[in-house]
Amino acid sequence: MDLYTPIFTRASTRKFDPSPLPADTLSQLEAFISEVKPLLPDVKLEHRIVSGNDVKGMALPKAPHFLLISGKEHPLRNTAAGFLYQHAELWLYAHGYATRWLGGVKPKQTDPNHIIGMAFGKPTEPAVRKPEDFKRKPLSEIARGTDSRLEAARLAPSGMNGQPWYYIADGGKIHVYYKPSLGGLLGKMYNLTDLDVGISLCHLAVAGEHEGKSFRFTVNKTGFPAPPAGFVYVGTVE
């Protein structure tokens, strides 16, 4: 399965065909998710695929399916969730479907461990774009050092298009940082920047697999370069 190409063509959509996807497609998606190597094995994540009748939230798209993501408390729970389920988003695009991450969607029945949701289904119009159509910061603003995988990480989606990540490539390692808050009004409206850096890490991992490079994420407490102002250290890719 080619997850790399969708990185450079994917686009979010609110325009879904309301028809449910075939049951075997949903089963294949579930099987794929179960096979993705997690960012951190000690982070316990769960998900459910439900219909629009089982979710609530403001201005939700009329999609046939919603993937609701939850997990037990852990300092890197949200980052691990972004990493795992962005793989699912790329899988859906690779099969011709479309998605939209939704920070405001919630299950109708209260779940204290709920993190975020994703709408998905067939798009009513092509949910694709060219690399030049992505509105993203240049590499010089989100990274220091050189590594061929960073372009894929740069193109990752994020809440409010905040792109709250920073990478330092140094000595064969990539040190990972994020902004805890977007600041100002955006920071009051959106607080999942730690999840966004996990989405970007997914793109980094997929690009590495495409290039035949290994991906091992570790959390080092010392020995990493100082972060830029406003950023905090997340971990290191080796």
Side-chain angles (χ1 to χ4, degrees):
M1 173 55 58
D2 174 23
L3 301 184
Y4 181 69
T5 299
I7 289 175
F8 302 90
T9 61
R10 57 159 298 284
S12 296
T13 186
R14 284 189 173 275
K15 298 179 180 179
F16 293 94
D17 184 323
S19 304
L21 301 187
D24 62 335
T25 298
L26 299 181
S27 296
Q28 291 168 23
L29 174 60
E30 293 277 17
F32 169 78
I33 292 172
S34 70
E35 293 170 358
V36 175
K37 183 179 179 181
L39 184 69
L40 293 167
D42 61 331
V43 178
K44 305 304 179 186
L45 299 169
E46 297 179 350
H47 70 269
R48 293 186 296 132
I49 296 175
V50 302
S51 72
N53 295 325
D54 298 310
V55 297
K56 61 183 180 181
M58 295 290 290
L60 298 181
K62 295 180 180 179
H65 305 288
F66 290 82
L67 192 153
L68 300 179
I69 301 163
S70 61
K72 300 294 184 181
E73 284 295 333
H74 185 284
L76 290 176
R77 179 194 70 168
N78 292 355
T79 302
F83 180 85
L84 174 59
Y85 291 100
Q86 181 62 12
H87 280 84
E89 189 199 40
L90 295 176
W91 186 93
L92 286 160
Y93 273 100
H95 284 81
Y97 304 117
T99 73
R100 187 176 188 89
W101 282 98
L102 296 167
V105 69
K106 294 181 179 180
K108 279 192 174 177
Q109 294 187 341
T110 301
D111 178 359
N113 296 319
H114 175 74
I115 303 170
I116 197 170
M118 180 189 298
F120 70 94
K122 297 178 183 177
T124 57
E125 59 187 32
V128 297
R129 57 184 156 182
K130 299 177 181 178
E132 59 266 27
D133 294 331
F134 282 80
K135 296 180 180 178
R136 298 290 189 271
K137 298 174 183 177
L139 270 177
S140 60
E141 291 187 22
I142 61 98
R144 189 173 81 214
T146 302
D147 190 287
S148 56
R149 295 169 288 180
L150 291 175
E151 176 62 12
R154 185 182 77 88
L155 295 178
S158 57
M160 306 292 179
N161 201 24
Q163 304 156 66
W165 46 73
Y166 195 88
Y167 294 99
I168 298 178
D170 179 40
K173 299 179 180 179
I174 300 178
H175 304 286
V176 186
Y177 310 82
Y178 88 106
K179 274 185 177 180
S181 173
L182 296 176
L185 180 60
L186 292 182
K188 294 179 180 180
M189 296 172 61
Y190 184 76
N191 63 355
L192 289 172
T193 55
D194 51 351
L195 185 137
D196 293 335
V197 75
I199 293 175
S200 184
L201 275 169
C202 166
H203 283 205
L204 191 77
V206 169
E209 182 177 358
H210 176 76
E211 297 176 13
K213 296 178 179 179
S214 61
F215 180 94
R216 188 168 74 92
F217 182 79
T218 61
V219 180
N220 304 312
K221 300 302 182 183
T222 60
F224 54 86
F231 288 80
V232 296
Y233 174 74
V234 179
T236 297
V237 175
E238 300 176 343

